């Protein structure tokens, strides 16, 4: 424990939580990181089981003048859950109950620690699912999805998390509890719910979430298209959308991704291809078959090699297994990777992809591309070996160059991972100082003291009340 | 192109018109002018710029001035078989329908209007231009001010320019009607576009490729009709979708949106309650974003 005031803080938290307040080296080490490469320093870790406990933790933090940070599964990739400013960690892992499935309203009330895929599995026999499906869906929490406004392959047709959240019970940064939004279509007043989703824990702690249930589609077809030239594949993506088709998912993998994934899962991906598109169509059977024909004919006009249509669920799952395990498979070439997330107009995919390869070459890194092509959401993976001296500096410099290239092409900073710490200082590439000052005014309405996940999202200097500057960890400036 | 250069002359001109002082309101088509109360009589009226400035069919996005009418927007998009399903009066403006934030009758399928908004440029209380969201179909960069601005009745700023997500116009659309249990109808269909119910009669909208629309229609024992009924005017209340099952409003003229929970008509049911804590948050936001209360005075999102 760092100092005397921490000892008193710990005692107060321990009095409420017992051994679910922890400050051992093991826990603190565990909660110092998330899915990014950034490292922070948590003060104390708390594992509340319900809303009153979260409220008491926030009250105690306020009494001690200490910030707090809500954390789900810690799979975030932008450093949103990396503790800076010595916050108390409020880990929601033990708040993992599905409280109610309300089919008449087509919603489910869940606690924030419920895992994304667990909810969809629970709903499956009832004929519904939770539409956002990040690649980490086996382990990521719904509270985390709300914080980051998470996406996933199927968000092309169904929209990101915000479209699937009706209401959120929140412990606000002043310790009060409120519900933002409700189960009606037009809740009274301003849309505070919409503002909270994607606010990365800077406006309070979500303690219960009413998510919308999406009916399972009656028909699904999954296709794998291979191309000899990545440019043809990317052009086919734009042409499919321009043909008036919105597939449920439209994913792209480049040559290196195909090779490593195939070696890893043996899904029968064509290793000689320069790129593959994984296309999924769902809905009523007529629309799905029509979609298959549109995809086929567009692909033929763009020099497609083979068009493989999965014949059954088993083959469909195999094709998806390749896509969903791509990040793990990167370990075949290098032990570490840095996953980026930017969005560009679909028409600029080829141009920006070529820049990504050039940037990786320039910084002596290996770039692997597996991404949500249908919505222009690039996910360049920079593979590296952290034991090489100075490699992280090269990774960060390459990352900055990729973000710059995306913005120059008319894109944005992040499609689904969020800003967190990683892209906080890039916000000025997309927003003017006045835009950011306006965002800051809004955050301050929720958190005037800056206690909720301090130093995230907006660069320091956008707000007057950041009081934790001295604690930003080494290497956090990416 | 620098951030400065991305702001068009039309938007700058509008910002200058809004200016930094004096009560001001933006007049669109004034089709929902009474929502939240009329603006103060002494308020200066300004008109947002209009025009569809960029439609990129392969991106499925459209950038237009907030003063663009829905009919103009639809006509431009229809040239490429696309639409933005805002479903309001043709002479309503894009900025106006977003500021009011009430969704149209195909919300069951297409979701709330705010889910169609990608980027908004607005002029704030100081006459300065603020950009939020982003031009791409997917974006989580920064706080989601766009959603906050939808339904804000211009109290946080004057919407000047928007980028919206487009959708393909469905190959086939059918409206069906007859006497049926609307909840049974809903349970039989996969993502219908609309189900309306007046207590006896239902109207159902099914969209998609023709074979699907016909197959879905065949599940129902209903007659094909031209289109939806005229919605009763006078009131509008949003209830939980399931509470429509217990809706008993005899004698009055109403139509409910099944699965959505909105009831149109003159019915004596309250809705839109705001808790004390949320009310104080909302007032705080109003104060921060418009300290002198010059934006659209008289109209209220949160009732006094």
């Amino acid at each position: 424990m760092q100092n005397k005031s921490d000892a008193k803080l710990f005692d107060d938290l321990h009095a409420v939580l017992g051994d679910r307040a922890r400050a051992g080296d093991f826990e603190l080490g565990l909660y110092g990181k998330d899915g990014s490469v950034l490292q922070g320093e948590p003060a104390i870790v708390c594992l509340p089981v319900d809303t009153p406990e979260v409220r008491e933790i926030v009250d105690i933090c306020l009494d001690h003048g200490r910030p707090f940070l809500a954390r789900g599964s810690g799979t975030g990739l932008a450093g949103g859950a990396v503790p800076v400013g010595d916050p108390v960690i409020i880990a929601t892992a033990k708040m993992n109950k599905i409280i109610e499935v309300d089919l008449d309203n087509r919603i489910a009330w869940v606690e924030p620690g419920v895992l994304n895929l667990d909810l969809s599995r629970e709903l499956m026999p009832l004929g519904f699912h939770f539409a956002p499906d990040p690649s980490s869906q086996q382990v990521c929490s719904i509270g985390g999805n709300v914080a980051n406004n998470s996406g996933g392959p199927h968000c092309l047709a169904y929209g990101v998390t915000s479209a699937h959240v009706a209401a959120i019970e929140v412990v606000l940064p002043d310790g009060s509890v409120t519900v933002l939004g409700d189960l009606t279509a037009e809740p009274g007043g301003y849309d505070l719910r919409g503002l909270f989703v994607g606010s990365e824990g800077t406006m309070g702690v979500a303690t219960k979430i009413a998510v919308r249930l999406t009916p399972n589609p009656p028909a699904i077809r999954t296709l794998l298209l291979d191309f000899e030239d990545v440019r043809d594949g990317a052009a086919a993506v734009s042409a499919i959308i321009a043909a008036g088709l919105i597939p449920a998912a439209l994913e792209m993998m480049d040559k290196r991704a195909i090779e490593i994934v195939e070696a890893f899962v043996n899904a029968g991906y064509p290793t000689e291809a320069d790129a593959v598109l994984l296309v999924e169509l769902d809905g009523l059977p007529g629309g799905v078959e029509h979609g298959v024909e549109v995809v086929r004919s567009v692909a033929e006009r763009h020099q497609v090699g083979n068009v493989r249509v999965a014949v059954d669920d088993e083959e469909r799952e195999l094709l998806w297994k390749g896509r969903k395990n791509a990040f793990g498979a990167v370990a075949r070439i290098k032990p570490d990777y840095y996953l980026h997330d930017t969005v560009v107009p679909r028409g600029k995919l080829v141009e920006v992809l070529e820049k990504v390869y050039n940037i990786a070459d320039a910084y002596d890194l290996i770039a692997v591309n597996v991404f949500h092509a249908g919505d222009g959401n690039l996910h360049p993976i920079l593979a590296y070996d952290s034991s090489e001296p100075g490699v992280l500096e090269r990774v960060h410099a390459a990352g900055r160059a990729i973000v710059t290239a995306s913005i120059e092409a008319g894109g944005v900073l992040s499609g689904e991972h969020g800003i967190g710490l990683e892209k906080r200082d890039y916000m000025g590439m997309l927003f003017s100082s006045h835009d950011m000052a306006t965002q800051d005014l809004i955050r301050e309405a929720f958190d005037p003291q800056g206690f909720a996940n301090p130093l995230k999202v907006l660069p320091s200097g956008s707000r007057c009340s950041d009081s934790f500057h001295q604690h930003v960890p080494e290497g956090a400036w990416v | 192109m620098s951030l400065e250069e991305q702001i068009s002359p039309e938007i700058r001109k509008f910002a200058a018109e809004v200016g930094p002082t004096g009560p001001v309101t933006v007049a669109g088509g004034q089709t929902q002018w009474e929502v939240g109360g009329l603006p103060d009589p002494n308020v200066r009226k300004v008109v947002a710029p209009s025009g569809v400035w960029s439609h990129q069919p392969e991106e499925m996005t459209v950038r237009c001035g907030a003063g663009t009418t829905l009919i103009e927007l639809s006509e431009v998009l229809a040239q490429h078989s696309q639409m933005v399903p805002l479903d309001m009066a043709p002479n309503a403006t894009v900025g106006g329908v977003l500021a009011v934030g009430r969704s149209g009758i195909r919300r069951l399928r297409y979701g709330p209007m705010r889910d169609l908004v990608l980027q908004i440029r607005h002029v704030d209380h100081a006459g300065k231009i603020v950009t939020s969201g982003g031009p791409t179909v997917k974006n989580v960069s920064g706080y989601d001010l766009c959603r906050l601005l939808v339904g804000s009745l211009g109290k946080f700023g004057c919407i000047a320019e928007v980028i919206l997500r487009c959708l393909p116009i469905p190959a086939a659309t059918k409206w069906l009607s007859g006497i049926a249990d609307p909840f049974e109808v809903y349970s039989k269909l996969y993502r219908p576009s609309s189900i309306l119910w007046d207590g006896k009669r239902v109207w159902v909208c099914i969209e998609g490729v023709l074979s699907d629309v016909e197959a879905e229609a065949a599940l129902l024992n209903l007659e094909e009709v031209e289109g939806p009924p005229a919605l009763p005017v006078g009131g509008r209340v949003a209830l939980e979708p399931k509470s429509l099952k217990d809706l008993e409003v005899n004698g009055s003229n109403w139509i409910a949106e099944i699965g959505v929970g909105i009831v149109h008509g003159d019915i004596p049911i309250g809705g839109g309650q705001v808790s004390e804590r949320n009310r104080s948050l909302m007032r705080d936001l109003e104060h921060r974003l418009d300290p002198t209360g010059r934006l659209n005075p008289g109209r209220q999102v949160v009732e006094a």
Side-chain angles (χ1 to χ4, degrees):
Chain A
M1 220 163 291
Q2 292 165 350
N3 55 46
K4 223 175 175 181
S5 67
D6 274 8
K8 177 75 174 78
L9 174 64
F10 181 80
D11 287 347
D12 288 354
L13 291 166
H14 192 267
V16 174
L17 300 166
D19 68 357
R20 289 182 285 104
R22 294 172 192 173
D25 288 344
F26 175 71
E27 269 90 7
L28 296 187
L30 210 58
Y31 288 91
K33 280 181 71 75
D34 62 4
S36 70
V37 300
L38 304 169
Q39 175 75 47
E41 287 176 352
I44 294 166
V45 177
C46 297
L47 291 155
V49 295
D50 58 19
T51 307
E53 284 192 353
V54 173
R55 188 182 182 158
E56 287 201 68
I57 295 165
V58 170
D59 280 342
I60 292 168
C61 288
L62 291 173
D63 284 347
H64 287 266
R66 285 297 282 268
F68 55 87
L69 186 166
R71 176 187 170 103
S73 300
T75 54
L77 292 156
V82 170
V84 285
D86 284 340
V88 169
I89 307 280
I90 304 174
T92 58
K94 291 189 187 294
M95 297 174 73
N96 59 357
K97 285 190 290 295
I98 297 171
I99 302 162
E100 183 195 4
V101 175
D102 177 356
L103 287 184
D104 285 330
N105 277 325
R106 296 203 178 177
I107 64 109
W109 278 101
V110 302
E111 291 184 330
V114 169
L115 302 186
N116 175 300
L117 193 58
D118 285 355
L119 177 62
S120 284
R121 282 198 180 124
E122 185 81 17
L123 296 169
M124 182 62 76
L126 304 171
F128 292 88
H129 66 286
F130 179 54
D133 61 340
S135 295
S136 57
Q137 72 179 139
Q138 290 192 21
V139 285
C140 67
S141 70
I142 292 180
N145 296 164
V146 168
N148 290 303
N149 198 5
S150 303
H154 289 82
C155 288
L156 176 57
Y158 293 99
V160 292
T161 299
S162 189
H164 302 281
V165 170
I168 316 164
E169 181 193 80
V170 176
V171 176
L172 292 168
D174 68 354
S176 60
V177 180
T178 191
V179 177
L180 309 178
D182 60 33
L183 304 190
T184 75
E186 289 169 0
Y190 301 104
D191 186 19
L192 302 182
R193 172 214 62 90
L195 192 58
F196 187 89
V197 177
S199 64
E200 305 193 29
T202 62
M203 292 179 181
V205 184
T207 46
K208 285 178 190 145
I209 302 150
V211 299
R212 296 190 191 283
L213 310 184
T214 301
N216 296 338
I220 305 176
R221 293 281 239 164
T222 305
L223 294 81
L224 189 74
L225 317 175
D226 60 64
F227 295 87
E228 266 183 41
D229 187 331
V230 68
R231 282 168 292 205
D232 288 326
V237 169
S238 282
I240 288 168
I241 303 285
L245 194 67
I246 301 184
L250 177 43
E251 303 283 302
M252 189 164 183
M253 296 167 74
D254 70 3
K255 186 170 185 61
R256 205 173 265 128
I258 299 164
E259 285 168 0
I260 57 172
V261 161
E262 183 53 24
F264 193 61
V265 299
N266 296 311
Y269 281 27
T271 47
E272 69 288 353
D274 199 33
V276 296
L277 291 181
L278 183 63
V279 190
E280 187 154 285
L281 301 146
D282 72 8
L284 292 163
V288 169
E289 290 315 315
H290 168 75
V292 169
E293 287 320 305
V294 171
V295 170
R296 204 189 282 275
S297 73
V298 167
E300 277 163 9
R301 286 202 302 277
H302 290 86
Q303 290 74 49
V304 70
N306 292 300
V307 178
R308 174 174 164 196
V309 184
V311 294
D312 54 20
D313 281 354
E314 200 182 338
E315 187 176 2
R316 196 172 83 73
E317 274 164 30
L318 191 62
L319 292 180
W320 272 111
K321 193 178 168 195
R323 165 65 184 85
K324 294 212 169 184
N325 285 289
F327 301 130
V330 173
R332 292 196 152 254
I333 44 175
K334 290 278 179 181
D336 305 287
Y337 68 83
Y338 196 115
L339 174 58
H340 280 273
D341 167 46
T342 67
V343 187
V344 299
R346 297 172 185 108
K348 298 286 176 82
L349 277 174
V350 175
E351 178 189 321
V352 179
L353 267 180
E354 283 182 359
K355 284 190 179 163
V356 168
Y357 292 126
N358 292 339
I359 290 164
D361 284 348
Y363 288 96
D364 196 18
L365 298 163
I366 298 174
V368 181
N369 285 287
V370 183
F371 61 101
H372 312 308
D375 38 29
N377 190 180
L378 287 169
H379 280 333
I381 302 165
L382 299 176
Y384 66 99
D385 182 346
S386 56
S387 65
E388 279 177 43
V391 70
L392 260 182
E393 284 73 22
R394 295 204 319 269
V395 169
H396 288 320
R400 186 181 176 90
I402 289 170
V403 172
T404 306
S406 301
I407 300 276
E408 280 171 0
V412 297
L413 294 171
S414 172
E416 53 183 16
H417 294 174
I419 300 300
L421 209 52
E422 178 200 35
K423 289 181 175 154
R424 184 191 65 176
D425 293 338
Y426 299 166
M427 283 284 279
M429 292 185 189
L430 195 61
F431 296 109
S432 73
S433 55
H434 187 62
D435 297 339
M436 290 188 283
T438 305
Q439 297 196 23
D440 207 11
L441 278 176
I442 289 167
R443 159 155 138 174
E444 279 184 356
F446 282 78
D447 185 18
Q449 299 186 87
F451 277 1
N453 203 5
L455 291 163
K456 304 293 168 60
V457 185
L458 294 171
S460 50
S462 334
R463 62 190 290 140
C464 316
S465 56
D466 267 333
S467 44
F468 310 108
H469 290 223
Q470 66 276 22
H471 296 293
V472 176
E474 288 288 314
W477 306 98
V478 292
Chain B
M1 200 163 36
S2 76
L3 292 173
E4 278 287 295
E5 289 162 355
Q6 290 170 22
I7 314 259
S8 69
E10 291 91 335
I11 302 303
R12 286 181 199 287
K13 184 163 163 278
F14 180 59
E17 272 172 44
V18 171
T21 53
V24 67
T25 188
V26 188
Q30 303 198 12
T31 59
Q32 300 179 88
W33 196 240
E34 75 297 343
V35 175
L38 292 171
D40 286 350
N42 60 343
V43 69
R44 185 164 54 92
K45 263 189 204 173
V46 293
V47 174
S50 72
V52 178
W53 293 326
S54 161
H55 175 219
Q56 295 179 283
E58 74 286 359
E59 301 299 332
M60 287 207 149
T61 60
V62 62
R63 184 170 64 89
C64 66
T68 309
T69 60
L70 298 193
I71 183 77
E72 183 185 351
L73 178 66
S74 322
E75 282 171 3
V76 172
L77 299 180
Q79 292 167 17
H80 294 275
S81 304
Q82 293 186 5
M83 62 172 184
V84 181
L86 296 171
D87 290 351
M88 288 285 161
N91 62 322
T93 62
V94 171
V97 300
L98 292 177
V100 176
R102 291 178 164 183
S103 299
I105 55 168
R106 289 185 296 172
R107 174 178 167 138
L108 185 59
R109 169 94 190 204
Y110 298 111
M113 191 177 280
R114 50 173 57 88
D115 289 353
L116 298 166
V117 180
L118 302 172
Q119 183 185 77
I120 294 182
R121 286 208 162 107
H122 75 268
V123 180
D124 71 5
H125 73 97
K128 290 185 171 175
I129 298 161
V130 178
T131 303
S132 41
T136 55
V137 291
K138 196 175 186 188
N139 174 32
V140 294
S141 312
Y143 294 122
D144 199 344
L145 265 65
C146 294
R147 279 189 163 81
L148 185 66
L149 289 168
V150 175
S152 69
L153 286 178
K155 304 292 283 182
F156 295 148
C158 306
I159 301 177
E161 177 194 285
V162 301
I163 299 179
L164 302 169
R165 171 199 296 275
C166 309
L167 293 168
I169 293 176
T173 297
K174 260 192 210 308
W175 277 92
L176 307 163
S177 183
I179 307 295
D181 178 335
F183 305 100
E184 252 174 52
V185 167
Y186 189 27
S187 67
K188 283 181 184 166
L189 301 176
Y190 174 74
R191 301 184 74 202
S193 295
S194 186
I195 303 174
L196 306 175
W197 180 52
D198 70 356
K200 296 187 198 73
R201 176 171 281 275
V202 295
W203 292 261
V204 181
C205 180
I206 305 170
E207 294 180 295
V209 301
L210 187 60
S211 64
D212 287 336
V213 172
E214 285 176 343
E216 292 280 280
L219 300 172
L220 309 171
N221 188 22
L222 300 173
E223 298 280 307
E224 191 168 346
V225 292
E226 281 285 298
L231 297 175
V233 290
R236 175 186 175 110
V237 57
L239 307 173
E240 286 189 20
K242 74 174 171 195
S243 68
L244 296 181
K245 288 191 172 180
D246 307 317
L247 193 63
E248 282 183 33
V249 194
N250 293 319
S252 61
N253 178 28
W254 55 270
I255 287 181
E257 296 180 32
I258 301 300
V260 175
I262 289 171
V263 187
H264 305 261
D266 197 10
I267 56 164
I269 303 175
Q273 306 301 321
V274 178
S275 70
E276 268 314 303
R277 187 66 189 94
N278 288 357
R279 179 185 298 264
S280 73
L281 265 176
M282 290 173 188
R283 291 280 181 239
D284 192 9
L285 283 170
E286 284 177 345
H287 182 69
R288 283 167 188 276
L289 295 173
D290 182 19
T292 60
R294 66 178 290 249
L295 300 173
N296 232 350
R299 297 188 87 170
Q300 293 293 337
V301 175
V302 188
E303 281 170 27

